[in-house]
Amino acid sequence: MELKHVMIDIETLGTRPGDIILSIGAVKFDANGLGEEFYVTIDPESSKAIGLRAQKSTLEWWEKQSPEAKAAAFKGEFSIEVALLKLTMWMPPKDASRVWGNGANFDNALVAAAYRANKMDLPWDYWNDRCYRTIAAMFMKTRVDRVGTGHHALDDAKTQALRLLKMQEDHGFKLA
């Protein structure tokens, strides 16, 4: 059975829909744990070419991050179009996907804006967006060990999914 929950994390050059995405990390999961992983880095020039933008404040923020996080985020292996095609092919079936992001207006919203800028269909239904940040704020004391490097999209996605599963276990709610 294919896992239907997906935790997405992105690294960007801004915080608003329409800003450049540097990397996309994702992991499939269910109540039993983590599954298949996805990670791509994106050439920012390909995003500029379709009208996505960078924010000065985010560029300044990146200057203060770890060398490991910067090296991973700025690798730029794929164009934005190829990265989104790869994500589409990796995703569970559209009608079964529950896509979690860190904030109702961040990860999923920026990825959706990149799909629109590329004139591509989003590989999940908008009503299946889920907000990890909201649940994390409800259960702030629930902690798990960080996976890997902070501000590495895949490591952050795995850490967030593990924490969500721990919150579910500790507080008795079910993933919808």
Side-chain angles (χ1 to χ4, degrees):
M1 181 175 93
E2 179 145 21
L3 304 181
K4 68 178 181 178
H5 291 277
V6 174
M7 182 67 73
I8 289 181
D9 190 81
I10 59 176
E11 299 305 328
T12 69
L13 290 182
T15 59
R16 301 178 301 202
D19 287 344
I20 293 170
I21 299 171
L22 297 172
S23 61
I24 302 171
V27 62
K28 295 176 184 176
F29 67 99
D30 67 11
N32 297 313
L34 304 186
E36 186 181 0
E37 301 173 358
F38 176 86
Y39 183 71
V40 292
T41 61
I42 301 164
D43 176 6
E45 294 303 316
S46 70
S47 296
K48 286 180 189 173
I50 61 164
L52 301 181
R53 63 196 176 267
Q55 303 296 323
K56 182 180 178 199
S57 60
T58 307
L59 290 166
E60 292 168 352
W61 178 86
W62 271 110
E63 290 177 17
K64 301 172 190 163
Q65 302 312 305
S66 73
E68 298 82 10
K70 287 190 282 192
F74 286 88
K75 200 169 183 180
E77 297 174 290
F78 299 101
S79 70
I80 185 70
E81 181 181 17
V82 169
L84 295 176
L85 283 170
K86 286 179 172 291
L87 179 60
T88 297
M89 293 185 313
W90 176 85
M91 288 290 294
K94 183 174 184 170
D95 62 345
S97 299
R98 306 294 185 268
V99 182
W100 295 82
N102 203 358
N105 64 350
F106 191 65
D107 296 292
N108 297 5
L110 270 74
V111 171
Y115 271 97
R116 281 191 302 277
N118 274 287
K119 298 176 178 38
M120 297 168 67
D121 292 333
L122 191 63
W124 66 87
D125 293 317
Y126 73 90
W127 57 82
N128 284 327
D129 274 322
R130 301 290 187 264
C131 182
Y132 165 77
R133 183 174 289 152
T134 300
I135 293 178
M138 293 169 58
F139 304 111
M140 292 176 68
K141 293 183 180 184
T142 303
R143 299 280 178 232
V144 296
D145 291 336
R146 164 164 281 294
V147 175
T149 301
H151 303 298
H152 181 288
L154 179 57
D155 292 347
D156 288 352
K158 291 191 295 189
T159 301
Q160 291 163 195
L162 289 169
R163 185 166 176 233
L164 181 61
L165 292 173
K166 177 80 168 127
M167 288 184 276
Q168 175 191 265
E169 178 185 314
D170 289 355
H171 301 285
F173 65 88
K174 292 195 183 280
L175 300 175

